Amino acid sequence: MAITVVTGLANAGKSGHVYDRVRRSAAAGLRPVLLLPSEPEVQRAVGEVSHSALLGVSVLQFDRYLDSLWSILGDGRTIVGRVQRTLLLQHALDAAPPEVLQSSARHAGFLRILEVVVQRAAEHSGEVDAGTRPREPRTPAKEILDIAAAYARLLVQADLVEAAEAHRIVAATVEPRHLGGLLAVNRFGSFTPAQLAFLTRAAALDVEVIVALTWENNHPATTAAGETVENLSGLRGARLVVAGDRQAGSHELAQLERGLFSEQHDDRILESCGDLVFSEAAGEGGEAQRIVRDIQELAIYGIPAHMIAVVFRRPEAHLSALSEAFNEAGVPADYDVRSPLVRTGLGRALSLLLRHFCGERGRAELTALLRSGYAWASAVDVDGYDERTRRDRAMNAHRLLEEAKSTGPRTRLFLERALELCAAPIDTKGARAWRLLIADMMRSRYGSPVILDSGGAADARAQRGLMTVIEEMASLGDLAFGARDLLALLDAVDVSLSDGERAGHVQVMSAERARSRRFEAVILGGLVGGEFPANSSDDALSQPALAGPLAAAGIDVLPRGGADEERLLFYQVVTGARQKLILSRAVVDDDGKPLRPSTLWEETLDLYRDPVTGEIPEVGSPRVRRLTLADLTEHEDAPLSERRTLREQAASPSGGAPRAVLARRRASARRGCVTGAVAAALAQRQVFSASEIEAYLACPYHWFYLRELNPRPIDEPIDALERGRVAHEIMSMFYAMWTAAGHERVTPEELPEALGVLADVSRTVLAGRPAARTLIEDEVLRGAVSGAGRIVVRDAEFLPGFLPRHHEWSFGGKSADAAEPVGSFFLKGRIDRIDVSAAGIVIVDYKASVVAPRAKFADEGLVQLPLYGFVASRKLEQPLLGGLYRSMRYGGDRGFYSQDSLGHLGLASRDACVAEEFDAVMSAAIATAETAVAGIRAGEIPATPRKASNCGYCPARSVCGGCSR
């Protein structure tokens, strides 16, 4: 027996040679073994073998086959799991903390670097020379070797072994009796050192081995496989077979296969017949939409969905955009992709549970867990719990948990069990308890018995993955791990999203999964620089300062992928298309930044260029499709989807589906005339406040939304409005205490005493209000205190001869009998402060920031000061001398005042009024208010803000339809 190496270009019939030999071996009763790179390929091959009724054939993933041999030939140690490796490396890192690499060790990527080191070390001797000697200076390489040595000792203590070391030992000790009658190896691009050593050993034992590799001498696309072919074909008795049974396909794609990456200029120019398309789009989402349209056109062309492959070098990075675009367009797809466990429903729910019980025990995580459907909580009860805790600003963890226990009949038991588990170590007993808790979460979400919906299959795989993690943690009994360690691992664990390959479903997969497979159509996306070909030059371990010393210690950490390997992978993917090949890329990212096309994209385009001029001739040029974000609704290359149809209908003047009609109505600006009972109620309004009149003048729609609809947030925010309320309360209480102590006003001499009283008042006011939950809220409350302090400091010099007599002075009420008549309406309100002198009164209104001068009253619709002054003067029977806005932040007092009475007090000269101007301010304010009242009574609520800047902070901006001016 000897090794047979079957080589040839793509689609040359190499797999036919392998399967033919497997069939003959099975017919002879020799128990052949077929080895493949991945589990999905194993599943497909099992189906093919079963369909052919071949008996006695074992189809296995290569590394799992070596694992099974280790169970026979090994020394009793168990192969370390991925989670166990991570935990032990973290333990080793804690045992040998680095100094030079201290900052790097804080990042999660440092553990991934260590994983590469210990796995590469296991490929050779399996022993690590720590490298650090007494009195020798520490270097990055020596610190990494120290950690690797500590990890190796932990492996020994736990009776574990790295897979690479186990496979290396298997390759050195395996005997013919352990192997089948034939080892057939197919669909590989390269082999690990242990795999290559095993094949070499099997060939030396006279076991028949057949290996198929994509390679042809001097073909640039297959250069990467040349060394492997040379090594295998150089073995004693090796036989090299060149496959040449070409499978029929598109002429253009066949030419692509022969000419790709070639440096020969003969017959270089390909003439397009439409079988190869270059597709460009703006942004990741645009590329996904462009791919949807390609799939739709392929379906029209007659290609079944399951014979269409959508391939990316890293499909997990595009999963969100692809699934969103496919779901919108109704394209069914099977995703042969691995995704982080926390992106599954069960993974998210468990993450929320652990974050709550292992963290600060806040409300957000607990509420999200209750809403997830995995905690046996009633949706109605969760709504009530959410509202109660948010309105009360509940902070106490015990109270939050006790309230949460009332949201469902089984929620109390579930949360109590979760709390108990999070406080206990994860050992053998704990693993069983976690298994029961996770199963209980699945029953809560899917019922008992469990009936899985579309997301249930992913949750079932997540459940299996979670238990693997927990059981691997529990197996390390000598080391104490708990719920916090489980939480730290969740982001590093991924699960397969594959439901198998189903008829009628587009196949989404990685380039590695697609290599050596045949589809009627292949859409290869992500052809931008840095993604495909993958960039391995950024590997920190490849730096000479690390790679050299590690190599001297017997650890080769240099990247094993390179340009040749990436070219071979690209070649294998594109040659898997029988009829149609579409190469896709995004020309800009989602932020509009241009993206460089992949070199593979450019080299494919080179096949169509004139070798002399470098230009692509107009005749026979490849088809290029481009889709910008602006094209998504109506461009011919945009995908056909329900949303696109509705957008087109909404853009038409009339007709269409009810949703399109509703969209047109919602898109139109709010012109705003209310009808029915609302209009009747507004028409009967008699009593108004000055603040609501100003709100209507600022924007009628804003006024209607806040004053009539009056939406209340569940969370009572500590925001700018709350800051104003707190500051007003402090000022009112301060002057009540100050005057009660026998002071008439604040003077420069009494200012220190006044500030002491203000500090006591501020503490009292804040103690009676909800506490701040964040630094921002704390800053808001501090701003209220400091703003009040600025007013008190300025009061020592403010309006000499005046006394601040009235604070938070209210007048009027809800009925017209109690309110004050002003023109055709009645006014109610509360004046912040009234300062009194023998000559008359001045109205004061506190503002949080910038205050407006008299010149802006008309432009900004400011009527409050004049209206309040009009009413106060009448009720107090004293002349009005002015009205002033006082800023709590910037200083300055602006408004209007009588030049004759207050002109000598140092107020802003531009706000001074002679008698005629003073009367004009009052009459203009009343007339403006009359106009606003008439609009309110007529039910006119157009979205017409006086200043466009008002819209930026308006809570109604999401529903008003935009400014109609």
Side-chain angles (χ1 to χ4, degrees):
M1 299 294 180
I3 187 169
T4 301
V5 182
V6 182
T7 65
L9 292 179
N11 310 316
K14 300 182 296 297
S15 294
H17 281 268
V18 172
Y19 275 90
D20 181 63
R21 188 66 197 91
V22 168
R23 277 190 289 269
R24 287 189 281 117
S25 179
L30 297 179
R31 296 182 299 112
V33 177
L34 176 60
L35 301 179
L36 296 162
S38 65
E39 278 304 310
E41 286 165 317
V42 168
Q43 294 169 10
R44 285 190 293 271
V46 167
E48 295 170 358
V49 168
S50 300
H51 183 72
S52 302
L54 294 177
L55 301 179
V57 179
S58 298
V59 184
L60 298 168
Q61 194 265 342
F62 202 158
D63 283 341
R64 292 197 177 182
Y65 178 60
L66 295 177
D67 292 347
S68 67
L69 289 176
W70 171 254
S71 66
I72 300 171
L73 303 172
D75 54 16
R77 290 180 292 171
T78 303
I79 294 177
V80 66
R82 178 180 176 185
V83 171
Q84 291 172 321
R85 181 188 298 115
T86 300
L87 292 171
L88 292 178
L89 277 173
Q90 184 62 61
H91 201 76
L93 185 60
D94 296 337
E99 297 176 5
V100 179
L101 296 174
Q102 183 178 11
S103 60
S104 299
R106 299 191 187 102
H107 301 283
F110 190 71
L111 275 180
R112 291 193 289 271
I113 290 176
L114 294 177
E115 287 180 358
V116 174
V117 172
V118 298
Q119 288 175 296
R120 294 289 183 88
E123 291 178 351
H124 301 285
S125 67
E127 299 178 359
V128 179
D129 181 6
T132 302
R133 302 286 183 267
R135 299 180 183 178
E136 286 188 5
R138 298 184 68 87
T139 65
K142 289 180 180 179
E143 290 189 337
I144 288 178
L145 287 171
D146 281 341
I147 298 169
Y151 170 77
R153 292 191 293 270
L154 289 173
L155 276 183
V156 173
Q157 294 173 15
D159 206 23
L160 297 172
V161 62
E162 277 289 341
E165 182 180 355
H167 296 171
R168 177 173 49 80
I169 295 172
V170 165
T173 59
V174 69
E175 296 294 335
R177 67 179 184 276
H178 302 129
L179 305 175
L182 169 72
L183 288 179
V185 184
N186 194 28
R187 300 191 184 282
F188 278 85
S190 61
F191 297 107
T192 66
Q195 290 170 343
L196 190 59
F198 177 79
L199 293 176
T200 302
R201 168 76 173 180
L205 294 174
D206 288 335
V207 174
E208 184 177 3
V209 180
I210 182 169
V211 180
L213 293 169
T214 301
W215 178 81
E216 182 178 272
N217 191 29
N218 296 325
H219 194 290
T222 65
T223 301
E227 184 178 354
T228 303
V229 172
E230 181 180 357
N231 290 335
L232 294 177
S233 61
L235 297 176
R236 180 178 59 86
R239 188 166 63 99
L240 186 64
V241 176
V242 178
D245 299 331
R246 300 216 30 85
Q247 300 181 24
S250 161
H251 175 72
E252 183 179 4
L253 298 184
Q255 292 294 103
L256 167 69
E257 175 186 319
R258 296 299 308 180
L260 196 57
F261 307 132
S262 173
E263 296 180 359
Q264 302 298 322
H265 292 290
D266 297 337
D267 300 326
R268 184 69 182 279
I269 301 178
L270 295 188
E271 185 171 333
S272 174
C273 62
D275 293 336
L276 171 58
V277 176
F278 293 84
S279 180
E280 298 178 332
E284 182 182 346
E287 184 177 16
Q289 296 281 359
R290 178 59 254 170
I291 288 173
V292 167
R293 181 54 187 260
D294 290 327
I295 293 170
Q296 292 169 339
E297 290 186 355
L298 292 171
I300 295 173
Y301 190 77
I303 297 178
H306 66 277
M307 292 304 297
I308 300 173
V310 176
V311 182
F312 282 86
R313 187 69 175 86
R314 298 194 303 269
E316 60 278 359
H318 302 268
L319 184 59
S320 177
L322 284 175
S323 59
E324 181 179 349
F326 284 10
N327 291 337
E328 179 186 336
V331 175
D334 289 327
Y335 298 92
D336 184 6
V337 178
R338 299 191 69 83
S339 177
L341 185 145
V342 291
R343 290 188 182 178
T344 65
L346 179 63
R348 282 192 298 270
L350 186 64
S351 175
L352 290 167
L353 184 151
L354 293 170
R355 282 160 50 197
H356 176 76
F357 287 117
C358 299
E360 298 179 358
R361 300 202 179 183
R363 178 190 58 79
E365 291 85 0
L366 185 55
T367 305
L369 171 64
L370 296 175
R371 289 196 184 281
S372 68
Y374 297 86
W376 298 99
S378 161
V380 174
D381 291 339
V382 175
D383 286 342
Y385 162 83
D386 191 20
E387 183 175 357
R388 288 193 306 274
T389 55
R390 289 167 70 176
R391 288 199 187 283
D392 296 344
R393 300 175 69 85
M395 297 289 292
N396 183 272
H398 176 74
R399 178 187 167 190
L400 285 172
L401 184 59
E402 289 303 313
E403 287 273 356
K405 291 177 182 179
S406 65
T407 55
R410 297 181 60 174
T411 307
R412 175 178 293 276
L413 177 60
F414 169 77
L415 292 176
E416 289 175 349
R417 289 170 60 197
L419 178 61
E420 182 180 349
L421 283 177
C422 288
I426 298 180
D427 50 20
T428 303
K429 180 182 177 181
R432 289 195 296 268
W434 277 106
R435 180 186 294 277
L436 293 174
L437 183 75
I438 293 171
D440 198 39
M441 295 173 70
M442 289 288 286
R443 282 192 292 271
S444 170
R445 174 64 179 83
Y446 298 105
S448 182
V450 171
I451 301 176
L452 300 180
D453 60 14
S454 57
D459 272 354
R461 286 186 288 272
Q463 181 182 15
R464 184 166 59 249
L466 282 169
M467 289 316 306
T468 299
V469 171
I470 291 171
E471 287 166 3
E472 287 190 16
M473 295 177 70
S475 68
L476 300 173
D478 295 338
L479 303 175
F481 296 110
R484 291 182 182 273
D485 301 292
L486 177 58
L487 175 60
L489 285 170
L490 286 185
D491 288 333
V493 178
D494 54 24
V495 295
S496 171
L497 298 182
S498 175
D499 290 320
E501 297 181 2
R502 296 171 290 177
H505 287 66
V506 173
Q507 305 302 308
V508 181
M509 65 188 68
S510 68
E512 285 88 350
R513 291 284 202 258
R515 70 190 320 162
S516 301
R517 290 201 60 197
R518 294 279 278 167
F519 294 91
E520 295 301 316
V522 172
I523 303 172
L524 178 55
L527 290 176
V528 295
E531 180 168 349
F532 199 0
N535 187 1
S536 60
S537 62
D538 295 334
D539 189 348
L541 290 173
S542 63
Q543 304 303 314
L546 285 177
L550 291 176
I555 307 174
D556 174 21
V557 293
L558 293 176
R560 289 178 179 165
D564 288 339
E565 285 76 7
E566 292 295 297
R567 279 184 163 192
L568 175 59
L569 180 59
F570 177 78
Y571 170 81
Q572 290 176 312
V573 172
V574 299
T575 54
R578 290 193 181 96
Q579 298 185 52
K580 295 287 183 180
L581 172 64
I582 298 171
L583 303 182
S584 171
R585 77 178 185 100
V587 295
V588 297
D589 63 15
D590 289 339
D591 295 324
K593 181 180 178 181
L595 294 174
R596 177 173 52 85
S598 165
T599 55
L600 301 173
W601 171 284
E602 295 290 0
E603 289 189 78
T604 306
L605 267 178
D606 285 345
L607 295 174
Y608 297 88
R609 299 184 192 277
D610 186 294
V612 177
T613 65
E615 300 294 329
I616 298 177
E618 293 185 7
V619 178
S621 62
R623 182 178 179 186
V624 179
R625 294 169 173 164
R626 294 182 177 87
L627 181 67
T628 67
L629 295 178
D631 296 329
L632 284 177
T633 59
E634 55 194 22
H635 195 272
E636 65 176 3
D637 287 335
L640 302 173
S641 66
E642 181 185 15
R643 180 181 297 181
R644 178 183 176 186
T645 302
L646 289 172
R647 284 173 175 169
E648 291 172 347
Q649 292 179 0
S652 64
S654 61
R659 289 174 62 188
V661 176
L662 177 62
R664 278 197 300 274
R665 185 181 68 79
R666 294 177 67 178
S668 61
R670 299 292 194 256
R671 297 286 174 179
C673 289
V674 296
T675 59
V678 176
L682 290 177
Q684 299 299 318
R685 284 280 304 272
Q686 296 293 322
V687 181
F688 301 85
S689 69
S691 59
E692 77 165 312
I693 290 174
E694 284 192 351
Y696 182 88
L697 291 168
C699 177
Y701 197 87
H702 173 86
W703 161 81
F704 183 78
Y705 182 80
L706 290 183
R707 299 300 177 114
E708 295 299 318
L709 298 181
N710 191 26
R712 282 189 63 200
I714 294 178
D715 294 300
E716 294 293 345
I718 297 180
D719 54 9
L721 291 176
E722 180 68 7
R723 177 176 59 200
R725 286 191 288 263
V726 172
H728 280 66
E729 185 176 347
I730 291 173
M731 289 301 302
S732 177
M733 185 179 293
F734 164 76
Y735 269 108
M737 294 184 65
W738 186 249
T739 54
H743 304 281
E744 290 188 315
R745 62 167 292 158
V746 176
T747 65
E749 296 76 20
E750 297 171 331
L751 183 57
E753 180 185 355
L755 292 177
V757 173
L758 180 69
D760 294 337
V761 168
S762 298
R763 285 191 289 269
T764 302
V765 171
L766 292 181
R769 304 190 75 87
R773 292 182 295 191
T774 65
L775 288 175
I776 294 177
E777 290 186 343
D778 183 65
E779 183 63 25
V780 169
L781 294 178
R782 291 176 182 272
V785 174
S786 60
R790 293 187 188 98
I791 293 292
V792 171
V793 169
R794 286 159 48 206
D795 273 353
E797 306 288 344
F798 180 66
L799 294 182
F802 283 76
L803 302 178
R805 286 287 175 83
H806 304 283
H807 301 274
E808 304 298 322
W809 189 75
S810 299
F811 63 90
K814 293 184 178 181
S815 66
D817 294 337
E820 294 295 320
V822 178
S824 64
F825 63 94
F826 294 86
L827 191 69
K828 65 176 181 178
R830 183 171 59 192
I831 301 174
D832 291 345
R833 171 171 153 184
I834 303 175
D835 284 24
V836 180
S837 73
I841 61 174
V842 174
I843 305 301
V844 173
D845 191 67
Y846 300 129
K847 292 296 182 185
S849 56
V850 178
V851 294
R854 173 173 67 94
K856 291 188 177 181
F857 278 21
D859 291 339
E860 298 187 8
L862 301 178
V863 298
Q864 183 169 295
L865 279 181
L867 292 180
Y868 280 174
F870 176 79
V871 171
S873 176
R874 186 167 61 189
K875 289 184 69 68
L876 296 176
E877 298 180 349
Q878 288 184 278
L880 176 67
L881 303 181
L884 297 173
Y885 293 114
R886 304 196 69 197
S887 172
M888 292 185 168
R889 181 179 299 180
Y890 298 105
D893 309 300
R894 304 301 299 271
F896 71 101
Y897 63 90
S898 169
Q899 172 69 42
D900 294 338
S901 302
L902 305 180
H904 62 289
L905 298 182
L907 298 173
S909 60
R910 293 185 180 181
D911 294 337
C913 303
V914 298
E916 294 80 4
E917 291 174 326
F918 195 92
D919 293 340
V921 169
M922 303 299 294
S923 59
I926 294 174
T928 302
E930 291 273 18
T931 302
V933 167
I936 292 173
R937 287 171 171 169
E940 296 177 356
I941 55 168
T944 53
R946 280 181 174 265
K947 296 190 297 184
S949 59
N950 292 347
C951 298
Y953 302 96
C954 177
R957 65 185 182 275
S958 61
V959 295
C960 74
C963 176
S964 62
R965 298 202 325 171

